[in-house]
Amino acid sequence: MNRTSRIGRTVSDLSRRDFLKAGSISGAALLIGFQLGRDLLAEATPQQERPVINPLNAWVKIDSSGQVTLVVNKDEIGQGVYTSLPMILAEELDVDFSKILVEHAPTDTKIYDLGTGGSGSVGDSWMPLRRAGAAARAMLITAAAQAWNVPTETCRTENGRVLHGHPVRSLGYGELVEAAAKLPVPALDKVPLKNHAEFHLIGTSVPRYDIPPKVNGSAIFGMDVRVPGMLYAVVARCPTFGGKPAKFDATKARALPGVRGVLEIASVGPGSFTAGGIAVVADSTWAAMQGRKALEIEWESGPAASESSASIREQFVALAEKPGKVVRNDGDAEAALANAAHKIEAIYELPFLAHATMEPMNGTVVIRDDGAEAWMPTQAPQWAQSIIAGATKLPREKVVVHSVYSGGGFGRRYQSDFAMEAVQIAKATGEPIHLMWTREDDMQHDFYRPATYQKLSAALDSNGNPAAWLQRIVSTSIRLFWDRADRVVPEQQEIHGAIQQPYCANTRLEYAYPQTRVPRAWWRSVSDSMNGFVTESFVDELAWTAKVDPLEYRLRLLSPARKIKNPVQPDATLNDTARLANVVKLVKEKSGWGSPLAAGRGRGIASHFSFDTYVAQVAEVSVGKDGTLKVHRVVCAVDCGRVVNPDGAAAQAESAIVYALTAALYGEITIDKGAVQQSNFNDYQMLRINEMPKVEVHFVPSEENPTGMGEPCVPPIAPAVTNAIYAATRKRIRRLPIRSEDLA
Amino acid sequence: MAAITFEVNGQHKSVEDSPDTPLLWVLRDTLGLTGTKYGCGMALCGACTVHLDGKPIRSCLTPISQIAGKKITTIEGLSRDTSHPVQRAWITEQVPQCGYCQSGQIMSAAALLAAKPNPTNADIDEAMAGNICRCGMYQRIRKAIHLAAKLAANGKAAPRAAAKPAGGAL
């Protein structure tokens, strides 16, 4: 999801220090905190004004035996943060990583910056975690130095011990923690950090902390939470968006064995956007599902019933023919186009997409007199906490939200709808409730990746370079689902991947939106997923028109090195064409671009900047005479700054490539009578092992601070594949998913 | 209702669930074995894969009436200490991302190796195409199956993963 629009981000402004908090580990514990505000992350000049922050939260726990527990404030949804974030702490702290324990931070927004998304976990945590680890180490050294009565500069650390002198004497962190915890915390922005040359963890492929429990069935996901007295719940929701039960008969449902109750829950609008519906509460999942099947419900569909994919497309086509709101206007694209001898025009279309996490939505809530407890597979525990607090009228501090492992997130688990439904049912029944969604529920009540329809025109100058680039983006705006048009900027999350297009100095970008009730939110890489396809397809079309090798064309246009700003969000990171060109060159080398290919094969390239990371991919495909497409190989070059865990980062690249390739080949959510037509993996197909291409990932060595890896490898793959299809067949694919009739 | 009895991971079980209850839910809810996962309920995704008398089945569509008197192995029973060659290979190759599909993947892979100790890539495609990995780790799954085959053949111990307490809520 777009990191600049993260919800629930709080910049805490603590004015007190917090030491010696007895944790769950026996003995005194050293708690070091720091502020994860963006302010600390900036490489600020001394003259720059910054708010004064007294940070101190809890990140490092050490018991008297020396057992180190590192706290993680981001949710493990498969992206490896339970390993990569502790690695940063452990590096500066200087402890044996193979012996540490990892604990998820409590949902305390005064201390922790919660919310996992926007590919921001490692990048946002890099400096704050280094500072926290270094500060903890400094305090432990000071305690040892005081114990030995020596200057701190004469002490050093190694694997959880402070060392001094020849012959060496040492004290373990566990022996020092009680005294260290009483010392003043060094100023976090001044505490010396390790020299990069001394890193022995960062940059290594430390095995993931959470993998062993994930191969023996012991890892607890949201679906696996079991609490005493728990009842299971499923909800029947109107298939049409915004529809409600007109009437229902639960007689048959209530008569079934195991069914303990049937109740209506109201739909909740702004804040959660739940569908509402009829909840069945039972002794087991199966009994709840059988109970739901036995419900007799008449739905009042409501106004969305008139919507369909066709009606939305009708709006798209009409809007694309009219001027939209101008969001970028560099140079004079219109004049350049008017003077052009030859115009290239294209229309691109991409559909709604479902997240389809492997683990469907779910959550468990227990409400007691004095508080509430919840177990949520979530990307936003703070939002779940707000929802539960609001629904139970409990203060936030009395609502404990446990983050459990998520079976995939991809942005879907940033929502709070499942938390709202769970607390509604728990409140109405007075019972501990485990709410689960079936695959059908999950597919049909998602917050979809927007659909889009885009009209582009360009002109080439006498050198074949783009003299003008006009792009009209029409899309089902995410912001407009969440709030009114007079309160939001509709295009804000729709333009990423287009707003910083680096290829043409005379670029005009316009935005328009249709009216629709289809729920929309952040899908892996958000609007970069759709605009990456459009931008990289269109520049490819220009290259072929200019009769220039598409890879060389991009290198030509990315030169001279310059930085492209985002006019809608001035503080957004600039798109550095030098770094983009660099990954294009790396992928050229690693893919063997230009070398002979087997007959019938084609190569396509796409390059894209998103979430502060630069990616270029080359796909190698073949198309059979009957139109069957095979993707043989994907070579991926990435500049994500310093790579914290190379194997972990490579796995994220592989993951994003498969996620996006699946969407390119099969992904399409269609709407009929205001309802989603797809329901399970039979009609929302997934790429499987037999279609997996060979994927090779290469990183640009970099000393820059780390940037994101969860999403940036999504945008380039679809255009790399369709560009490869063009190279192999001269058939240009302008709409996704790729259809066999487009290839035959 | 008459109890239905069967063996799970070497233990005798007797349950009162109705005979049409899918084994998946009896394992997860009645017996508390949550290692086997729900992904689709239609035998399309493979997350629910367990072994019935050593052969892989989709437990989401297998009613317990069909397993009366039979032997079931779940992910929890594949090994006592995460030492099955497939599990060791999965750790060495760092296969799981979110991990939700991996119980099913591992059970399918273990069944494949039991039947074909030296599978070809085509064998792997056929045996594993029923298991979706939404995180896209298919390349690692394939590599790990080949490694597991070697480990099983040689009886060598894979590099040991650092000792950690078993997963669970953190």
Side-chain angles (χ1 to χ4, degrees):
Chain A
M1 51 158 281
N2 188 309
R3 74 201 290 225
T4 54
S5 60
R6 241 173 297 174
I7 290 175
R9 228 201 142 96
T10 54
V11 177
S12 84
D13 197 5
L14 296 187
S15 57
R16 61 177 176 81
R17 295 198 298 219
D18 189 0
F19 295 117
L20 283 173
K21 229 170 159 177
S24 52
I25 296 164
S26 64
L30 171 68
L31 302 182
I32 294 290
F34 64 94
Q35 168 57 38
L36 277 186
R38 291 189 87 94
D39 309 304
L40 262 190
L41 295 170
E43 292 299 330
T45 58
Q47 300 91 322
Q48 242 181 3
E49 278 190 35
R50 294 209 322 234
V52 175
I53 297 168
N54 280 316
L56 287 174
N57 311 353
W59 295 97
V60 176
K61 297 181 186 180
I62 306 175
D63 72 12
S64 54
S65 77
Q67 174 65 60
V68 174
T69 300
L70 301 178
V71 177
V72 179
N73 62 319
K74 298 298 177 188
D75 293 284
E76 179 58 73
I77 58 174
Q79 83 288 49
V81 288
Y82 276 7
T83 306
S84 52
L85 297 187
M87 280 172 70
I88 302 170
L89 268 171
E91 180 75 78
E92 295 288 350
L93 183 60
D94 208 350
V95 289
D96 181 351
F97 193 81
S98 68
K99 297 196 167 69
I100 59 121
L101 295 174
V102 171
E103 200 173 274
H104 197 278
T107 308
D108 185 343
T109 54
K110 294 195 297 296
I111 299 176
Y112 299 102
D113 176 20
L114 299 166
T116 305
S119 301
S121 294
V122 170
D124 286 355
S125 305
W126 174 246
M127 287 307 284
L129 285 174
R130 291 189 67 194
R131 286 173 172 144
R137 176 178 172 271
M139 292 165 76
L140 290 156
I141 285 178
T142 302
Q146 287 179 357
W148 290 322
N149 199 22
V150 299
T152 56
E153 312 81 68
T154 62
C155 299
R156 65 189 191 283
T157 59
E158 196 177 285
N159 257 2
R161 302 191 71 80
V162 181
L163 285 68
H164 172 266
H166 300 280
V168 163
R169 55 182 164 170
S170 70
L171 286 165
Y173 286 179
E175 301 170 83
L176 293 162
V177 67
E178 191 176 340
K182 296 178 178 139
L183 297 169
V185 178
L188 291 179
D189 57 346
K190 293 190 170 55
V191 65
L193 301 176
K194 224 182 205 184
N195 193 301
H196 302 155
E198 298 169 61
F199 282 163
H200 65 270
L201 274 178
I202 303 294
T204 69
S205 295
V206 170
R208 269 182 52 168
Y209 178 86
D210 54 325
I211 281 183
K214 288 176 176 176
V215 305
N216 64 21
S218 68
I220 300 296
F221 294 85
M223 277 284 201
D224 306 328
V225 170
R226 300 289 183 263
V227 299
M230 182 179 104
L231 296 178
Y232 300 77
V234 293
V235 177
R237 302 172 190 82
C238 182
T240 303
F241 295 118
K244 297 183 185 348
K247 60 182 200 220
F248 71 97
D249 185 344
T251 316
K252 292 194 182 116
R254 284 189 221 270
L256 289 176
V259 172
R260 298 275 292 272
V262 178
L263 57 133
E264 183 171 348
I265 54 172
S267 79
V268 176
S272 306
F273 288 101
T274 66
I278 312 297
V280 177
V281 178
D283 291 337
S284 68
T285 313
W286 183 245
M289 285 160 65
Q290 295 303 98
R292 184 171 72 172
K293 262 201 248 177
L295 289 173
E296 291 171 345
I297 309 177
E298 246 177 63
W299 297 107
E300 184 190 295
S301 296
S306 63
E307 281 201 57
S308 65
S309 290
S311 72
I312 293 170
R313 189 173 187 274
E314 241 179 74
Q315 292 189 66
F316 276 165
V317 172
L319 287 162
E321 289 312 307
K322 299 193 309 225
K325 175 181 178 186
V326 177
V327 297
R328 175 179 167 185
N329 203 10
D330 296 338
D332 196 339
E334 281 201 328
L337 200 65
N339 294 335
H342 181 60
K343 270 203 297 212
I344 300 106
E345 294 191 324
I347 288 181
Y348 296 90
E349 300 183 60
L350 291 95
F352 291 112
L353 292 173
H355 293 80
T357 54
M358 205 62 228
E359 179 197 18
M361 297 305 111
N362 64 83
T364 306
V365 174
V366 180
I367 303 173
R368 304 187 184 93
D369 292 330
D370 60 344
E373 206 173 349
W375 292 260
M376 291 285 156
T378 178
Q379 291 172 245
Q382 76 285 11
W383 197 357
Q385 185 187 50
S386 290
I387 292 294
I388 294 167
T392 57
K393 311 252 190 298
L394 288 163
R396 285 182 75 107
E397 309 78 64
K398 296 284 189 194
V399 177
V400 175
V401 176
H402 303 283
S403 280
V404 290
Y405 289 125
S406 284
F410 313 128
R412 178 61 178 93
R413 280 196 229 267
Y414 215 103
Q415 306 311 324
S416 66
D417 54 330
F418 45 94
M420 174 60 83
E421 290 179 341
V423 72
Q424 283 178 301
I425 301 167
K427 200 172 155 200
T429 60
E431 304 281 1
I433 292 294
H434 173 80
L435 167 74
M436 69 86 77
W437 288 35
T438 62
R439 175 57 55 192
E440 290 80 5
D441 297 340
D442 196 275
M443 188 76 65
Q444 300 188 325
H445 296 280
D446 197 343
F447 295 82
Y448 302 93
R449 199 283 307 267
T452 188
Y453 183 98
Q454 305 199 15
K455 183 171 177 184
L456 282 83
S457 28
L460 301 184
D461 63 22
S462 53
N463 294 318
N465 298 331
W469 178 305
L470 277 79
Q471 181 171 359
R472 194 168 284 154
I473 299 177
V474 191
S475 70
T476 55
S477 163
I478 293 171
R479 298 305 304 269
L480 287 178
F481 176 73
W482 293 88
D483 210 338
R484 291 193 332 240
D486 59 322
R487 295 217 282 235
V488 294
V489 177
E491 68 272 14
Q492 187 164 20
Q493 290 183 284
E494 307 306 305
I495 53 170
H496 292 275
I499 195 73
Q500 289 171 284
Q501 168 265 105
Y503 300 124
C504 180
N506 291 326
T507 290
R508 181 186 170 99
L509 189 62
E510 294 175 13
Y511 182 74
Y513 57 87
Q515 302 296 330
T516 175
R517 288 180 169 80
V518 176
R520 294 93 61 192
W522 317 290
W523 189 92
R524 195 173 189 175
S525 81
V526 198
S527 56
D528 285 277
S529 68
M530 55 190 211
N531 294 329
F533 175 70
V534 176
T535 303
E536 288 301 301
S537 298
F538 195 58
V539 74
D540 208 67
E541 296 202 45
L542 301 185
W544 281 96
T545 307
K547 298 191 178 12
V548 177
D549 174 282
L551 191 149
E552 298 304 330
Y553 194 69
R554 283 167 174 79
L555 287 178
R556 189 205 282 185
L557 298 182
L558 293 174
S559 179
R562 58 203 185 280
K563 298 188 181 176
I564 317 291
K565 67 181 194 301
N566 177 341
V568 173
Q569 264 173 281
D571 64 343
T573 309
L574 304 176
N575 181 359
D576 182 341
T577 66
R579 289 178 77 177
L580 197 53
N582 219 18
V583 288
V584 172
K585 288 178 195 146
L586 180 57
V587 86
K588 175 182 177 183
E589 177 203 328
K590 297 297 184 184
S591 66
W593 182 273
S595 64
L597 273 173
R601 288 202 186 190
R603 282 192 191 98
I605 178 164
S607 57
H608 196 74
F609 163 74
S610 67
F611 304 93
D612 299 355
T613 291
Y614 300 84
V615 178
Q617 293 172 1
V618 167
E620 216 175 281
V621 313
S622 57
V623 180
K625 286 192 180 60
D626 57 351
T628 51
L629 168 69
K630 188 159 169 61
V631 182
H632 298 278
R633 182 183 178 220
V634 175
V635 182
C636 180
V638 179
D639 177 359
C640 60
R642 181 180 301 277
V643 181
V644 171
N645 186 316
D647 191 57
Q652 279 302 287
E654 294 163 36
S655 178
I657 285 166
V658 175
Y659 197 80
L661 185 55
T662 301
L665 298 179
Y666 302 120
E668 188 174 23
I669 289 292
T670 56
I671 310 293
D672 187 42
K673 299 188 181 55
V676 168
Q677 292 184 293
Q678 289 71 32
S679 59
N680 208 309
F681 296 125
N682 53 338
D683 50 18
Y684 196 72
Q685 214 178 321
M686 295 286 120
L687 188 135
R688 295 159 182 269
I689 194 169
N690 54 313
E691 292 189 293
M692 177 72 192
K694 181 167 197 293
V695 174
E696 300 154 40
V697 185
H698 304 275
F699 293 95
V700 172
S702 171
E703 300 277 301
E704 300 279 346
N705 287 346
T707 58
M709 273 308 288
E711 294 162 286
C713 293
V714 165
I717 190 59
V721 167
T722 54
N723 292 342
I725 290 171
Y726 187 82
T729 64
R730 298 299 181 271
K731 291 191 169 82
R732 175 58 65 184
I733 308 286
R734 291 182 177 156
R735 63 175 183 167
L736 296 181
I738 300 165
R739 291 164 175 77
S740 50
E741 60 255 34
D742 299 336
L743 300 174
Chain B
M1 196 168 347
I4 295 179
T5 61
F6 48 93
E7 199 181 283
V8 178
N9 300 333
Q11 288 191 344
H12 178 86
K13 297 290 176 193
S14 177
V15 301
E16 310 261 317
D17 297 87
S18 69
D20 64 344
T21 311
L23 173 61
L24 173 65
W25 299 115
V26 172
L27 289 171
R28 289 181 54 81
D29 295 352
T30 310
L31 299 177
L33 293 167
T34 58
T36 308
K37 307 300 185 198
Y38 166 81
C40 70
M42 283 179 68
L44 295 167
C45 78
C48 67
T49 308
V50 298
H51 296 170
L52 168 59
D53 293 338
K55 299 276 190 299
I57 58 157
R58 308 297 188 211
S59 63
C60 71
L61 282 190
T62 307
I64 52 171
S65 56
Q66 283 183 17
I67 56 136
K70 307 216 168 139
K71 289 188 194 334
I72 299 292
T73 311
T74 71
I75 184 71
E76 290 95 338
L78 192 63
S79 71
R80 219 193 301 266
D81 51 1
T82 320
S83 59
H84 190 282
V86 171
Q87 291 172 312
R88 285 153 45 205
W90 249 237
I91 292 173
T92 300
E93 293 302 328
Q94 295 282 283
V95 173
Q97 287 279 287
C98 84
Y100 190 79
C101 77
Q102 296 298 341
S103 298
Q105 302 277 2
I106 289 167
M107 296 309 281
S108 291
L112 166 65
L113 288 177
K116 293 185 178 178
N118 200 15
T120 62
N121 281 328
D123 292 330
I124 291 173
D125 280 354
E126 193 185 323
M128 303 299 295
N131 288 82
I132 296 172
C133 175
R134 198 67 178 113
C135 299
M137 293 297 108
Y138 299 119
Q139 184 160 276
R140 291 171 184 239
I141 289 170
R142 186 185 301 281
K143 195 165 175 222
I145 291 175
H146 287 303
L147 173 60
K150 273 207 206 76
L151 293 176
N154 300 348
K156 272 199 288 244
R160 202 174 311 150
K164 293 281 185 304
L170 292 183

